[in-house]
Amino acid sequence: MRTLKLILLIALLPLFGVAQTSIDFKPLPFQEAKDLAKEENKLIFLDAYTSWCAPCKWMESNVFVQPHVYEFFNANFINTKFDCEKGEGIAIAEKYQVRSFPTYLFIDGEGELVYRTQSRMEADAFLKEAENANNPKYHIPILSAQYDQGERSEEFLLRYYLVMKSAIPERAKEVRVVIDESVTEEYLLSKDG
């Protein structure tokens, strides 16, 4: 009788839900992730990794399992991960120019890259990157449009440079030249500078 109760309890556990202990990566094809992102009005968080990547494994074991990290990611993003040397991951790596691992892409439901970061980092730094990804002030398409329309305030240029450094290094070099030519010494000595 006791064994029967234990078996019944184990069988019913999925009905009661199991507490989440990591970022909940959905094993979805990329198109389905985009569809879900549109439906839920969320960004996709895409962990671009490889099976041999030691920093990728470190992040999975040490950062993705932190409650304040996984709670934020699970509430705010459609979480996916793709091995960039297998299957659909190869095309994703090519499309988004993933050249180092881990690379973290934040993509909208149309497939447009909104924010990008990479490398191993501590939990608080990783969470800060996710918060930036969720803030339109840091979205690559918005920043690029503002820059192309002539926005050159010191605060804007520094924010744009920091975002582009991980996303589009060639553009970051261009912005760096503008910063060097236009940002005042007074601003650089300020707290923001």
Side-chain angles (χ1 to χ4, degrees):
M1 185 64 148
R2 195 172 179 174
T3 305
L4 182 59
K5 285 181 183 178
L6 182 59
I7 292 171
L8 184 60
L9 179 63
I10 291 170
L12 293 175
L13 273 177
L15 297 176
F16 297 109
V18 178
Q20 189 66 41
T21 59
S22 182
I23 294 176
D24 182 20
F25 290 102
K26 309 273 188 235
L28 299 171
F30 189 50
Q31 183 59 52
E32 286 182 31
K34 290 190 295 185
D35 293 342
L36 189 57
K38 282 184 208 174
E39 180 183 315
E40 294 189 18
N41 196 28
K42 292 181 178 180
L43 293 176
I44 297 166
F45 164 61
L46 192 149
D47 175 14
Y49 74 98
T50 62
S51 61
W52 49 263
C53 169
C56 300
K57 293 174 183 178
W58 187 90
M59 291 293 290
E60 190 172 325
S61 298
N62 295 286
V63 176
F64 296 172
V65 296
Q66 296 290 322
H68 66 292
V69 171
Y70 67 72
E71 288 169 1
F72 185 84
F73 275 78
N74 293 344
N76 291 285
F77 302 109
I78 305 302
N79 302 302
T80 62
K81 62 189 314 178
F82 287 89
D83 184 332
C84 291
E85 295 182 329
K86 294 181 182 174
E88 196 174 9
I90 296 168
I92 289 169
E94 186 176 317
K95 176 177 178 152
Y96 295 104
Q97 300 178 358
V98 175
R99 308 261 188 272
S100 64
F101 305 99
T103 293
Y104 306 110
L105 306 173
F106 296 86
I107 302 166
D108 69 17
E110 299 299 325
E112 185 170 17
L113 180 65
V114 171
Y115 192 82
R116 175 188 185 124
T117 189
Q118 58 200 36
S119 194
R120 179 188 131 157
M121 61 188 90
E122 296 296 328
D124 290 340
F126 186 65
L127 187 57
K128 180 65 178 158
E129 294 288 355
E131 290 168 349
N132 287 348
N134 241 8
N135 182 342
K137 278 179 57 174
Y138 294 90
H139 287 183
I140 294 166
I142 293 170
L143 290 169
S144 294
Q146 290 173 328
Y147 183 82
D148 292 345
Q149 292 169 1
E151 170 64 71
R152 296 295 186 272
S153 70
E154 293 163 332
E155 183 270 333
F156 170 81
L157 285 172
L158 291 174
R159 184 174 69 244
Y160 187 43
Y161 171 76
L162 291 173
V163 170
M164 289 296 113
K165 207 165 91 171
S166 290
I168 307 169
E170 303 80 38
R171 193 77 187 259
K173 288 178 187 174
E174 175 187 325
V175 175
R176 178 62 189 257
V177 170
V178 174
I179 289 171
D180 289 344
E181 292 172 353
S182 65
V183 174
T184 66
E185 186 173 334
E186 180 182 350
Y187 180 77
L188 290 175
L189 295 174
S190 72
K191 181 183 174 205
D192 292 336

